[in-house]
Amino acid sequence: MNFLEIVNKCLLELNYKQVSAFSELVKNDHKRIRDIINVINNEICNAEYWNFLLRKCTLNLPANTNEIDNPINGRILYLFIDGQRYQYDENIEPFVSGHAPCRKYSGMADKLLFPKFSIDKSVEIIYYTKNCVKDALGNEKTTLENATDESLIPMPFAQSLLVYGTCLRLKANPQHFKFSYWLGMYNEALSNLKSRTSVSAQYSPQVNLFRK
């Protein structure tokens, strides 16, 4: 479901007039709805280590070099060189002084720091992307901007989370006659997202009931 469709679902839920094009979104509430959708989309994507945000890339570490540009827009989960996992070390001093510890890497500004090797090395990285949106061509980015942009949150969870979450934020009044309904639907969608997006059923959240 794209950005315009999400906006229209919000308008429908709020009993506002729907639109056929982005150019019709000119009212203050229209802008607020668009902004809130982006806030909620970013908050959800950055709140957990979601499987759907995992990405992989391979970098080249030239021989006799201990630093390369860090192209990773996100948080590194695993880093491998020659099939060996390297652990992150926040202490950059041994890396910049030429005494980097074995099987460790670090980071400084926009650089990744490593031990020096006498030959070129391939660095494989698994990471969680900070991007939470894709455009019509599949290019990832951080913000919903165009009508055809889509959230990286998988459907059908994205629709419920973004629509009901936006209605909750826009009205922000527990006394509103639909507030409890929106809250319940939002919480249910969030629980379903957590339980159904894991690749392995063994790692899905479970609810255990006990009798006294």
Side-chain angles (χ1 to χ4, degrees):
M1 179 168 284
N2 64 40
F3 194 17
L4 180 58
E5 292 169 332
I6 291 291
V7 171
N8 268 327
K9 287 288 186 180
C10 292
L11 295 174
L12 179 64
E13 192 64 34
L14 293 163
N15 293 320
Y16 293 170
K17 182 180 178 181
Q18 294 181 280
V19 299
S20 57
F22 242 41
S23 59
E24 299 176 40
L25 298 172
V26 295
K27 298 181 180 179
N28 286 337
D29 272 358
H30 291 159
K31 184 179 185 303
R32 291 180 63 200
I33 287 171
R34 291 171 59 179
D35 289 344
I36 293 172
I37 290 172
N38 266 301
V39 168
I40 293 174
N41 190 55
N42 277 272
E43 284 182 351
I44 292 172
C45 286
N46 288 298
E48 301 276 349
Y49 293 107
W50 301 112
N51 183 69
F52 59 82
L53 295 180
L54 278 174
R55 301 291 183 268
K56 180 181 180 180
C57 77
T58 301
L59 308 177
N60 180 58
L61 177 63
N64 301 310
T65 301
N66 76 327
E67 67 175 47
I68 56 176
D69 291 335
N70 180 11
I72 304 300
N73 180 33
R75 297 166 289 181
I76 295 175
L77 177 62
Y78 300 123
L79 186 148
F80 298 94
I81 299 177
D82 293 335
Q84 300 292 323
R85 180 179 173 184
Y86 278 56
Q87 299 287 344
Y88 177 74
D89 189 341
E90 64 180 12
N91 181 17
I92 66 171
E93 190 274 332
F95 294 90
V96 298
S97 65
H99 300 89
C102 181
R103 293 185 186 174
K104 295 286 184 72
Y105 75 97
S106 190
M108 180 178 65
D110 58 349
K111 302 289 185 180
L112 290 174
L113 309 178
F114 302 93
K116 282 186 179 181
F117 298 95
S118 59
I119 59 174
D120 291 357
K121 293 291 183 178
S122 180
V123 181
E124 295 184 353
I125 298 176
I126 307 295
Y127 68 99
Y128 290 97
T129 179
K130 284 186 178 178
N131 292 321
C132 50
V133 176
K134 63 180 178 181
D135 64 20
L137 297 177
N139 300 310
E140 295 184 358
K141 55 183 184 176
T142 58
T143 306
L144 290 157
E145 301 168 304
N146 305 312
T148 54
D149 290 345
E150 296 182 13
S151 170
L152 290 182
I153 301 172
M155 289 293 291
F157 314 109
Q159 177 180 330
S160 296
L161 289 168
L162 299 181
V163 172
Y164 296 124
T166 297
C167 292
L168 284 168
R169 293 280 182 94
L170 185 70
K171 292 305 180 181
N173 179 11
Q175 303 305 316
H176 190 281
F177 74 101
K178 295 188 79 173
F179 190 90
S180 295
Y181 169 73
W182 293 333
L183 181 60
M185 295 299 289
Y186 176 87
N187 287 335
E188 181 180 349
L190 186 59
S191 295
N192 287 335
L193 177 66
K194 291 180 178 180
S195 65
R196 298 180 186 177
T197 54
S198 174
V199 173
S200 172
Q202 296 180 18
Y203 291 93
S204 297
Q206 298 179 352
V207 176
N208 296 314
L209 301 178
F210 300 94
R211 291 184 179 181
K212 292 184 177 180

